[in-house]
Amino acid sequence: MAFSRNDVSLDYVSIGCNRFSNAADRSPENLVAFGAGRFVALWQLTAGPKGVYRTLPGHTSTVTTVKFLSCRDENGRVRSTGLVSGDASGDVIVWRMEGDEWVIAARLKEHKSSISALGVLNALVPSASTGLHTNLLMTGASDGTVKVWSISSAANETRLVQTLSLKGKYPLDLALTVLPGADVIVLAIACTDRRLQIWAQEGAEFRYRMSLEGHEDWIRCLAFVTEMPFEPEQPTRTILASGSQDGYIRLWTIASMKQDESNVNGMFRGALSNDLLEMFEKSLSEGGDGQISTKVHILALETGKYSVTFDALLVGHEGWITGLHWHPAIPSSSSWKQPLVLLTSASDNSLIMWSQDPNSSIWLNRQRFGDIVGKGMGFFGALWGNDGHDVLAHGWNGSFHRWHVSETENNINGVWEPALAVTGHSQPVRDVAWEPRGRYLLSCSTDQTSRIHGPWQSEPSSGESSKITWHELARPQIHGYDLVTGAFLGPLRFVSASDEKVARVFEAPGTFVRTLRGSRLIEDEAFGRDRPAAASVPALGLSNKISDQEDTTVPLGDAGLSNRPPVESELALVTLWPEVEKIFGHGYELFAMATSPDGNFVATSCKSTTPEHAVVRVYDTVNWKQFGTPLAGHALTITRIAFSPSGRHILTVSRDRSWRLFELSENGFEPVASEKAHARIIWDCAWGADDDLFATAARDKMVKVWHRDTSAWNAIATLKLSESATAVDLLSIAGTAHLVLAVGLEMGQIELYTTESSAEKWKKIQVVDSDLAHVHEIHRLRWSPAQPASGSNMHQLASCSEDGSLRIFTIQLHL
């Protein structure tokens, strides 16, 4: 169900996960929360194909860490009680649920720099003998401190308990546990000095106890698990997993020692003493890298002594270890079962599922997931979902990868299949454009990709009707430059521009047409016939080339494009569109572009500081030659180009605070009007229902509506706003004189205005604030050209922003 307020419902949010190892977490209710720009995005795994349904505003900088707060109720059921998120400015926000709403319970502003790690101790230990029911929160930052907070069970009361100084070292991850059979809390800190610090709580404070050595590079991730005994007489052990930039995972065992044990090391190493072990380690370091450590450390606490030993070294990744998580506890008939299965992610685009062989106690690689494409740092983290039946990983491009297994008994060794997950841009989204009939949407981003989004109608099941959900249907362009704008030339052709001097034209391949048929967006069998099969990008190239065959590295087949939307691996491999034309002419990087309603013309402009380059070049799409002479008159960069509904006029607005109008003639487009309209930069413009009315939006916090009276253009209305206007679009209600004006503001709000008969009088009818809209500059607003059903007053509005999100709203208009 779409999240809605009053007459505005949020149908779709496309946004990527931030590039931090601790940027995502999962609740006991299978709610995934992840940092997405300045938002905390929420994705319910059990909601079928529905993706992000809500974004929580509140942070003023990039969210770096997210953790859920949980507790166990009187029936033994684990439930979430809140959420904690930290950002790059050092702020920490504690969230709690009030009904169906997430609200800010507390803001913690004690750190002076970016939050790098969060540690949460929930009352989730297998034994309830500890009696611990309060949440303990640890916040680590790049200011070299870890702060200890006490949070009430309702997440509405927070108190700073202690500050731990790391003496100049930065905490990269934090992990907390309660030792079995004791009321002692142990804190593990992964630092930037290759050592794993162990702290323990005595009374009300934590004290440093020891450092565990062995890793050859920074330790990036930690996770505790408590092993349930196989036999009643066996002691319960706690296992700490640590992952490092050296590519290895180390497992450390913490076990209780008997009070009368005189030789600690004899428990695990026969009669070897620590002196002999140290000599052995020294000989290893002299002849090699010294990565094997057999020394037993003693953790002496008030409640008894514990041994800390290096138990296993897991080797399998070829890059930095970026995340690790133990399999979630599974409820059984009488208690909870804790599988000893570890999931790890790395920068080599791989995930590995590890478990211990019961016969030899050797840790084995049980499953390996991954992606054969990708760039940069690969996977940044991994999560479990649906009681271990889902595996999630978020990568460099912001999208989640997901694998699902259907087995209920032996899901670790079962057959894991790719499944639908959240996708989205990882950088600001600069432009959106509807397909001419409003069936799907193109987005362009500075993450160097263009993407096509559309609705997918599921097959009706027994007793239920089919459902429509929005998904990313294709990724036609993966470029080497930041994309700034794009527009359709027809249902299966679009043109895009980036931070280069060339505009590029793309044609849809046959794979995309099959996706459209699978989504029921088209029914005509002749639609898109005789298309190229697919496209590919040559090594070190920027142009997508036509391919006669689909990529066979992904087992896609007809089912992958006809029965469900494409998953992340398919989007990156087999949904490219071939490039069919290049448009040259400008001397600097392109900035704005528009296409005529009939698709016959493409108009482009570039960045400029002089009148010589502040021109619009118009190209004929039949021969791709320049049509007429460049349209001159502006002095600085032209920020927006818009063709009139008839296609006979071109409207341009500029940083020089003026607009200019050009009319089609036999020799090209000729200037017919101009006006220095605003006191600051004009960011956007939009036409009304005909060629006699348009609107301009500027940084001077004004939107002006212009109307042609005989031969002169006059500003018949001026809307004064609270912030700079950065985007504008006009909707004409068919069969009526009503116009609806959508205005995007610099801080992310969207305001809607309407007029009944005269465009001189406008009334504000709706404000879409940051709870539903954006938190940063809106770059583009686009009303869908699709006509609503007969008798319906529901219209769709697409928006994109500097905050990295693309949103589609359904707005009910009461006119």
Side-chain angles (χ1 to χ4, degrees):
M1 179 180 294
F3 184 81
S4 63
R5 284 220 175 94
N6 299 326
D7 297 322
V8 181
S9 64
L10 181 59
D11 294 340
Y12 178 60
V13 181
S14 174
I15 192 167
C17 184
N18 293 336
R19 296 169 182 171
F20 298 96
S21 296
N22 299 312
D25 196 21
R26 179 193 61 87
S27 77
E29 297 84 9
N30 286 303
L31 176 64
V32 175
F34 60 92
R38 298 181 182 181
F39 294 105
V40 176
L42 302 178
W43 168 32
Q44 180 57 251
L45 283 177
T46 56
K50 177 69 176 177
V52 172
Y53 72 93
R54 182 78 197 280
T55 53
L56 306 179
H59 287 283
T60 58
S61 59
T62 303
V63 177
T64 58
T65 52
V66 174
K67 284 282 186 182
F68 276 100
L69 301 172
S70 304
C71 72
R72 196 186 300 280
D73 60 22
E74 60 276 6
N75 298 320
R77 182 175 60 89
V78 181
R79 59 182 178 84
S80 60
T81 60
L83 179 66
V84 184
S85 56
D87 64 29
S89 65
D91 292 348
V92 177
I93 295 180
V94 181
W95 309 81
R96 74 169 185 270
M97 284 289 293
E98 288 187 358
D100 294 332
E101 295 284 335
W102 285 90
V103 299
I104 297 176
R107 288 183 181 269
L108 314 179
K109 295 180 173 289
E110 294 292 329
H111 288 287
K112 299 179 181 179
S113 54
S114 176
I115 304 298
S116 56
L118 293 175
V120 174
L121 179 66
N122 302 309
L124 302 178
V125 293
S127 172
S129 61
T130 60
L132 294 174
H133 298 286
T134 58
N135 290 312
L136 198 64
L137 170 65
M138 303 283 191
T139 58
S142 54
D143 57 12
T145 64
V146 173
K147 295 185 182 294
V148 185
W149 307 82
S150 174
I151 301 179
S152 65
S153 58
N156 57 2
E157 208 173 297
T158 306
R159 181 173 60 89
L160 178 61
V161 177
Q162 186 182 0
T163 298
L164 312 180
S165 175
L166 302 182
K167 299 179 180 179
K169 297 178 284 293
Y170 296 165
L172 298 180
D173 202 6
L174 304 170
L176 289 139
T177 191
V178 178
L179 294 181
D183 290 335
V184 177
I185 301 174
V186 172
L187 165 67
I189 305 177
C191 290
T192 52
D193 64 349
R194 307 179 186 180
R195 293 180 175 89
L196 175 56
Q197 293 189 14
I198 302 296
W199 297 61
Q201 187 183 47
E202 287 189 350
E205 292 190 346
F206 282 86
R207 294 186 180 180
Y208 169 79
R209 287 299 184 176
M210 65 179 67
S211 291
L212 304 179
E213 300 184 12
H215 284 294
E216 294 299 310
D217 208 334
W218 291 2
I219 302 171
R220 298 190 64 89
C221 43
L222 301 170
F224 274 113
V225 69
T226 298
E227 177 189 19
M228 302 303 293
F230 295 102
E231 302 294 339
E233 62 273 9
Q234 281 187 314
T236 302
R237 297 186 304 167
T238 296
I239 301 176
L240 171 62
S242 60
S244 168
Q245 292 180 180
D246 61 14
Y248 301 115
I249 302 104
R250 287 175 172 262
L251 302 184
W252 312 84
T253 299
I254 304 176
S256 176
M257 298 169 53
K258 297 179 181 179
Q259 295 294 331
D260 58 352
E261 188 69 48
S262 58
N263 191 337
V264 177
N265 296 281
M267 294 175 59
F268 302 95
R269 302 289 185 269
L272 288 177
S273 67
N274 268 343
D275 292 338
L276 292 175
L277 292 173
E278 289 175 359
M279 292 176 61
F280 175 60
E281 292 170 14
K282 184 178 180 181
S283 66
L284 286 175
S285 62
E286 291 175 353
D289 57 10
Q291 289 186 344
I292 299 177
S293 175
T294 55
K295 180 179 178 180
V296 176
H297 300 267
I298 309 300
L299 183 60
L301 304 172
E302 294 178 355
T303 56
K305 292 184 178 181
Y306 293 82
S307 61
V308 183
T309 58
F310 168 58
D311 189 61
L313 181 69
L314 309 186
V315 181
H317 289 292
E318 297 179 356
W320 293 6
I321 308 300
T322 57
L324 43 81
H325 286 272
W326 292 100
H327 194 291
I330 301 174
S332 62
S333 57
S334 59
S335 60
W336 291 77
K337 178 182 178 183
Q338 176 60 66
L340 285 185
V341 180
L342 182 65
L343 177 69
T344 60
S345 63
S347 61
D348 60 0
N349 282 320
S350 70
L351 283 82
I352 297 180
M353 198 178 291
W354 310 83
S355 68
Q356 197 172 23
D357 184 356
N359 298 321
S360 63
S361 299
I362 297 176
W363 288 82
L364 301 176
N365 179 338
R366 300 294 188 180
Q367 292 282 352
R368 188 180 186 97
F369 312 91
D371 199 350
I372 61 176
V373 297
K375 65 177 184 178
M377 291 292 295
F379 291 136
F380 275 82
L383 297 172
W384 295 93
N386 290 331
D387 294 329
H389 289 85
D390 279 341
V391 169
L392 311 172
H394 57 95
W396 174 265
N397 63 359
S399 298
F400 275 87
H401 299 246
R402 181 181 183 183
W403 292 267
H404 177 76
V405 65
S406 300
E407 285 80 356
T408 57
E409 295 295 332
N410 189 18
N411 59 348
I412 304 304
N413 295 318
V415 179
W416 292 77
E417 298 289 345
L420 288 175
V422 171
T423 66
H425 290 290
S426 60
Q427 297 294 326
V429 185
R430 294 288 304 274
D431 199 8
V432 292
W434 289 97
E435 181 263 343
R437 291 177 54 185
R439 289 175 289 189
Y440 40 90
L441 187 75
L442 171 73
S443 64
C444 297
S445 168
T446 56
D447 68 0
Q448 303 183 350
T449 66
S450 64
R451 309 185 185 208
I452 291 180
H453 316 259
W456 187 279
Q457 185 173 349
S458 63
E459 292 286 347
S461 58
S462 57
E464 294 185 2
S465 60
S466 61
K467 297 180 180 179
I468 296 178
T469 53
W470 278 77
H471 301 272
E472 184 179 339
L473 301 182
R475 201 167 296 167
Q477 186 181 8
I478 301 176
H479 203 41
Y481 292 92
D482 294 353
L483 289 162
V484 295
T485 184
F488 278 98
L489 287 166
L492 298 177
R493 175 183 283 192
F494 76 87
V495 57
S496 70
S498 60
D499 275 340
E500 57 177 343
K501 304 173 185 178
V502 183
R504 300 171 186 267
V505 184
F506 297 86
E507 286 274 0
T511 52
F512 180 70
V513 176
R514 286 160 54 195
T515 300
L516 293 181
R517 290 200 177 98
S519 64
R520 304 183 187 179
L521 288 172
I522 59 171
E523 300 293 342
D524 183 8
E525 290 297 326
F527 183 85
R529 185 173 292 173
D530 300 326
R531 315 294 302 175
S536 61
V537 181
L540 303 178
L542 292 175
S543 302
N544 298 353
K545 302 299 182 182
I546 295 177
S547 175
D548 294 332
Q549 295 181 347
E550 297 176 11
D551 196 316
T552 57
T553 58
V554 175
L556 189 66
D558 288 337
L561 292 172
S562 302
N563 298 336
R564 57 162 174 76
V567 298
E568 175 61 25
S569 57
E570 296 163 351
L571 287 168
L573 281 176
V574 298
T575 64
L576 287 173
W577 288 23
E579 181 183 315
V580 294
E581 288 290 343
K582 292 183 178 67
I583 302 176
F584 299 91
H586 288 285
Y588 291 96
E589 294 86 352
L590 299 183
F591 194 88
M593 183 178 64
T595 58
S596 61
D598 56 11
N600 291 333
F601 296 108
V602 176
T604 60
S605 69
C606 70
K607 296 178 181 178
S608 174
T609 57
T610 62
E612 177 187 358
H613 294 283
V615 297
V616 173
R617 298 179 185 272
V618 183
Y619 300 87
D620 189 329
T621 59
V622 176
N623 54 25
W624 298 109
K625 293 182 179 180
Q626 186 167 306
F627 180 72
T629 59
L631 311 185
H634 287 291
L636 297 173
T637 302
I638 295 169
T639 56
R640 189 73 77 207
I641 307 170
F643 279 88
S644 65
S646 69
R648 292 193 54 81
H649 293 89
I650 293 178
L651 173 66
T652 61
V653 294
S654 168
R655 290 180 180 269
D656 64 10
R657 310 172 186 180
S658 70
W659 59 259
R660 301 187 72 84
L661 193 63
F662 303 85
E663 187 174 9
L664 180 64
S665 66
E666 293 182 359
N667 299 321
F669 284 85
E670 303 291 341
V672 293
S674 64
E675 182 80 27
K676 189 169 184 180
H678 290 267
R680 302 291 298 275
I681 294 171
I682 306 177
W683 283 122
D684 202 2
C685 60
W687 287 92
D690 52 36
D691 289 19
D692 293 331
L693 185 141
F694 64 83
T696 56
R699 183 178 282 176
D700 61 4
K701 302 180 182 181
M702 291 184 185
V703 170
K704 292 187 178 183
V705 180
W706 303 81
H707 184 263
R708 178 167 56 183
D709 184 10
T710 62
S711 60
W713 287 86
N714 299 305
I716 60 173
T718 300
L719 282 64
K720 296 183 179 180
L721 310 169
S722 60
E723 302 169 10
S724 298
T726 57
V728 67
D729 200 19
L730 275 164
L731 171 68
S732 176
I733 307 299
T736 71
H738 289 287
L739 292 173
V740 180
L741 179 70
V743 181
L745 303 183
E746 190 173 33
M747 299 306 293
Q749 287 186 337
I750 299 173
E751 295 184 355
L752 301 180
Y753 298 82
T754 185
T755 181
E756 294 184 6
S757 57
S758 172
E760 298 177 1
K761 297 180 180 180
W762 294 84
K763 178 179 67 175
K764 185 188 296 186
I765 59 172
Q766 186 67 260
V767 176
V768 187
D769 60 20
S770 59
D771 282 342
L772 283 182
H774 302 275
V775 293
H776 212 320
E777 175 185 352
I778 295 177
H779 287 303
R780 201 67 184 265
L781 292 174
R782 288 289 185 96
W783 289 103
S784 171
Q787 293 297 320
S790 178
S792 171
N793 59 352
M794 311 293 282
H795 295 264
Q796 284 189 315
L797 176 67
S799 66
C800 65
S801 169
E802 186 73 13
D803 63 21
S805 69
L806 159 69
R807 296 165 188 263
I808 297 177
F809 306 92
T810 293
I811 299 174
Q812 183 176 8
L813 298 174
H814 300 284
L815 302 174

